[in-house]
Amino acid sequence: MRYTILLFLIFLVSLSRAQTREDVTIFTAMGDEQARTKEQLTLPMMSKPFYVSYALLLSRQFSVEATLGSVLNSVNLPLHLMGTSQVLIGDYNRTSDLRHVGQFLRVDVGGEIDYNAIRLGFWLASDQGYKVALQEYSAKKAYLEANPYELPDNLPDLLPTPSVEKLIQGKQPYISGISGVEAKARELSAVFKDYKEIVASKVSLQGSEMTFYKLTTEQVALKQPLNFVELYVEGTVVTKNGEYIRDSYVLLAPSLEALPSQEHLKQVVAGFARRLIDLKNAEVFSEEYNGPVLFENEAVRQILTDNLLGNNGGLCTYRMLLGVKETTTSFEDKIGKKLLDPRLSVVNYSSMTEYMNIPLLGSYEVDAEGVVPEKEMMLVEKGVLKKVLNGQIPTSKVRYSTGSSRFIPTRNDVIYVTAPGTLHIKADGGLKPEAMKKALLKAAKEAKSGYAYIVRRLAGNASLLYKVDVKTGEETQVRFGKVAPVNMSKLKNIREICNQEKVHNLLLDKGALVSMIYPSSILLNNMDISVMDVPKRKLPALKNPLQER
């Protein structure tokens, strides 16, 4: 026991040499309580913990929402500390963990960095976590005794993490005050005054400054910043038949200063408004279609995100819960098999910070479990799946960690999920952008069709569809066409791929901040587009007052 504590104290001393006073306070408080928990926390006739992990989140957030030049809501939240404790009974082969998710018992530590408050919080969380672990370990052993063949004997519940110290200092500045954010939001929202056909609109600017601290009994010590700002633009129009169309635009950046210039953002808002009005005034899609479709820009990114990262699976694998008979939504069963068109490869970058002069918000140096990932990892090579992403909990077919446990930016908990950093979908060869439309027209002629379609955004009744005349190449926008889902089988046989790339930062549905580099367009054969049934509502009795000015 004394030897273990001595090693731990030596580890803490090494942390204290190069960090700020706040870092030393946090790591010392966590380390003191963690050492006591590991060595002394026990109940009569019960096992001690074999693994203890503490995580602490320091966060500040702001949010401003404005409409037509007026601020609706403005919030500037002060520093807040939220901690989580994971206490495991057993050993690496069989732990007490039943859920296999990166979410644990949490404790609110308040709004100041205080040694006693931090230690008290982790003491309470550890005590509760230990008692829950004892119950779950007993239940797990009983279940596996009754179902001995559910897990292979040689499949461990947790992979050991090598000792690592990775303390990263934040580089992005936080806002100096909320008034500047309010002024920015007012000016951007006022752009909608010039577009009176839009019946409802808003612009919001929100941002987070987060720093995650982690300390485990495996001598893993992490400090990891996670900062970003989101510009959100929303608008609604109403057709003459009472069909409401609402659409939105999102732009992510590392900080408020890293956003494009205010003049550029005003042009973005104006372009969004014009796009929405054009959609309102577009022809209604009225004839079922089957044939070639050219997907461009955002539509391509949506298709690739849904297929490669959707349903909490795809290129990210996970351990199924005990007793769950559902099949996994991950691709791990497809390793070594064809997954995509042979011209496509998929690479995951962890620490790449920018591409085409665009900051990559998916960049990270160490994952939430203390694993340093490969800087460049081939997941799909010439269409064949080589590897999937995973954390420290192995599955029957993936017995390794790729260092892909990512903290998610939420103020009220410390959670991590399996997710990529920057996913690069690379095309071998491909056509120039101007040649892609020619390829669409050629495919339509081969199908003996007088027209084809380009899809630039998939967003329900706000989808952007364009009917293309095969003879002239002229595009006519249409609305309310329902594009059939593009599944993995379609992505195995793509007719043409563009050699131009796009870059985008996004928040996945499960919360992880990732980046994607992808072909700007793909051409698919035999796509179905049907008539969309859009609900109608009664129009307002009076005209929009802004239209009378």
Side-chain angles (χ1 to χ4, degrees):
M1 171 178 170
R2 292 179 179 175
Y3 179 68
T4 302
I5 294 177
L6 178 60
L7 288 177
F8 202 78
L9 289 175
I10 293 172
F11 182 54
L12 288 177
V13 168
S14 72
L15 289 176
S16 67
R17 289 175 179 166
Q19 298 307 304
T20 66
R21 181 177 299 176
E22 292 179 345
D23 293 345
V24 173
T25 300
I26 290 168
F27 278 117
T28 303
M30 290 198 299
D32 289 348
E33 191 55 39
Q34 192 172 91
R36 190 173 75 124
T37 296
K38 178 75 161 54
E39 297 298 335
Q40 300 180 28
L41 182 57
T42 185
L43 290 174
M45 308 298 292
M46 296 295 177
S47 302
K48 288 183 178 181
F50 91 94
Y51 174 89
V52 183
S53 172
Y54 290 165
L56 185 69
L57 167 63
L58 277 62
S59 67
R60 292 189 292 172
Q61 292 183 319
F62 68 86
S63 177
V64 175
E65 183 178 316
T67 184
L68 300 175
S70 299
V71 172
L72 296 175
N73 295 294
S74 179
V75 178
N76 190 12
L77 298 175
L79 179 68
H80 180 249
L81 280 68
M82 177 63 69
T84 61
S85 172
Q86 183 187 22
V87 179
L88 294 178
I89 303 296
D91 54 32
Y92 288 104
N93 187 52
R94 286 292 172 262
T95 75
S96 52
D97 186 13
L98 282 174
R99 289 174 289 272
H100 308 309
V101 294
Q103 186 173 11
F104 313 108
L105 288 169
R106 61 181 181 173
V107 57
D108 193 325
V109 187
E112 294 183 0
I113 300 173
D114 179 79
Y115 172 90
N116 293 319
I118 294 170
R119 188 162 179 181
L120 178 67
F122 282 114
W123 165 64
L124 292 171
S126 298
D127 184 77
Q128 183 182 0
Y130 173 66
K131 292 169 182 175
V132 170
L134 288 173
Q135 294 173 348
E136 293 188 345
Y137 191 53
S138 177
K140 186 173 184 177
K141 286 178 64 178
Y143 180 85
L144 291 175
E145 287 173 2
N147 302 272
Y149 302 109
E150 181 152 342
L151 287 179
D153 290 335
N154 62 347
L155 177 63
D157 281 348
L158 183 66
L159 299 172
T161 304
S163 174
V164 64
E165 179 184 323
K166 201 77 172 178
L167 310 181
I168 304 165
Q169 300 298 330
K171 298 177 182 178
Q172 299 299 333
Y174 194 60
I175 59 171
S176 57
I178 198 68
S179 59
V181 184
E182 292 173 344
K184 199 174 189 71
R186 279 194 194 96
E187 189 175 4
L188 292 177
S189 68
V191 171
F192 282 105
K193 290 181 178 180
D194 295 331
Y195 300 92
K196 303 183 189 306
E197 291 181 63
I198 296 178
V199 299
S201 64
K202 71 175 180 180
V203 170
S204 69
L205 280 165
Q206 53 188 337
S208 299
E209 180 190 61
M210 296 185 168
T211 304
F212 294 89
Y213 291 83
K214 186 160 185 174
L215 191 66
T216 79
T217 49
E218 293 179 311
Q219 297 189 356
V220 169
L222 307 179
K223 177 185 178 182
Q224 186 176 123
L226 179 58
N227 303 338
F228 77 100
V229 168
E230 177 188 79
L231 168 67
Y232 178 83
V233 183
E234 183 180 285
T236 303
V237 291
V238 186
T239 70
K240 62 182 180 180
N241 296 322
E243 296 142 332
Y244 281 68
I245 305 172
R246 185 174 68 180
D247 201 6
S248 61
Y249 169 84
V250 176
L251 176 64
L252 300 176
S255 66
L256 198 67
E257 288 76 9
L259 285 170
S261 70
Q262 187 74 346
E263 287 306 310
H264 178 85
L265 292 178
K266 287 166 69 175
Q267 293 175 15
V268 168
V269 175
F272 169 82
R274 289 192 297 269
R275 186 180 82 184
L276 200 51
I277 293 171
D278 288 344
L279 181 59
K280 170 199 169 186
N281 298 323
E283 295 180 6
V284 176
F285 181 88
S286 58
E287 185 178 0
E288 305 285 319
Y289 174 81
N290 174 267
V293 171
L294 180 61
F295 293 91
E296 292 184 347
N297 303 330
E298 188 176 349
V300 180
R301 192 249 306 161
Q302 291 170 301
I303 289 169
L304 293 172
T305 301
D306 290 346
N307 280 278
L308 299 181
L309 300 173
N311 298 319
N312 291 319
L315 290 172
C316 302
T317 194
Y318 54 93
R319 175 84 72 90
M320 299 294 291
L321 299 179
L322 290 175
V324 175
K325 304 302 181 184
E326 299 174 6
T327 57
T328 178
T329 58
S330 130
F331 294 151
E332 68 170 57
D333 291 335
K334 297 179 174 64
I335 293 176
K337 300 177 183 177
K338 180 179 179 181
L339 187 73
L340 296 172
D341 186 283
R343 290 167 291 177
L344 290 179
S345 295
V346 181
V347 180
N348 181 63
Y349 305 121
S350 59
S351 56
M352 182 183 287
T353 56
E354 69 173 30
Y355 191 82
M356 294 169 53
N357 295 318
I358 297 175
L360 299 176
L361 300 188
S363 175
Y364 68 105
E365 295 182 36
V366 60
D367 84 341
E369 294 178 299
V371 179
V372 178
E374 296 177 32
K375 292 185 177 181
E376 185 173 325
M377 190 185 313
M378 182 70 72
L379 303 181
V380 180
E381 185 174 14
K382 296 182 178 180
V384 177
L385 181 64
K386 298 295 184 180
K387 183 182 288 188
V388 294
L389 303 174
N390 192 29
Q392 286 296 87
I393 299 176
T395 69
S396 59
K397 295 187 178 179
V398 182
R399 306 292 182 98
Y400 52 82
S401 170
T402 56
S404 301
S405 293
R406 305 288 313 285
F407 286 118
I408 69 173
T410 177
R411 180 178 173 87
N412 296 318
D413 209 343
V414 184
I415 304 172
Y416 57 83
V417 296
T418 303
T422 296
L423 208 62
H424 190 177
I425 297 93
K426 306 170 68 171
D428 183 11
L431 302 179
K432 294 181 179 179
E434 58 270 21
M436 291 296 290
K437 186 173 179 179
K438 294 179 181 178
L440 171 68
L441 300 179
K442 179 182 178 182
K445 289 178 182 177
E446 291 175 1
K448 298 182 179 179
S449 175
Y451 57 91
Y453 281 91
I454 297 175
V455 178
R456 296 193 170 108
R457 175 169 163 79
L458 295 164
N461 69 356
S463 295
L464 300 179
L465 279 70
Y466 301 83
K467 187 176 182 179
V468 186
D469 186 283
V470 169
K471 292 183 179 179
T472 65
E474 182 179 355
E475 298 178 17
T476 302
Q477 186 171 10
V478 296
R479 57 181 162 93
F480 304 155
K482 184 178 180 181
V483 182
V486 178
N487 55 31
M488 290 300 300
S489 63
K490 290 285 187 182
L491 296 180
K492 289 181 180 179
N493 297 285
I494 301 173
R495 176 159 182 143
E496 297 292 351
I497 306 171
C498 187
N499 61 11
Q500 185 184 69
E501 294 183 324
K502 293 285 184 179
V503 183
H504 191 79
N505 294 305
L506 66 151
L507 275 168
L508 297 179
D509 290 341
K510 55 186 176 182
L513 191 61
V514 305
S515 304
M516 182 175 284
I517 306 165
Y518 57 95
S520 63
S521 62
I522 58 173
L523 175 58
L524 299 177
N525 285 324
N526 299 318
M527 288 298 305
D528 292 320
I529 305 178
S530 58
V531 176
M532 183 182 296
D533 182 19
V534 181
K536 296 181 176 65
R537 288 188 271 170
K538 291 184 178 180
L539 294 170
L542 294 176
K543 183 187 292 187
N544 181 349
L546 297 180
Q547 293 179 325
E548 295 183 346
R549 296 180 184 177

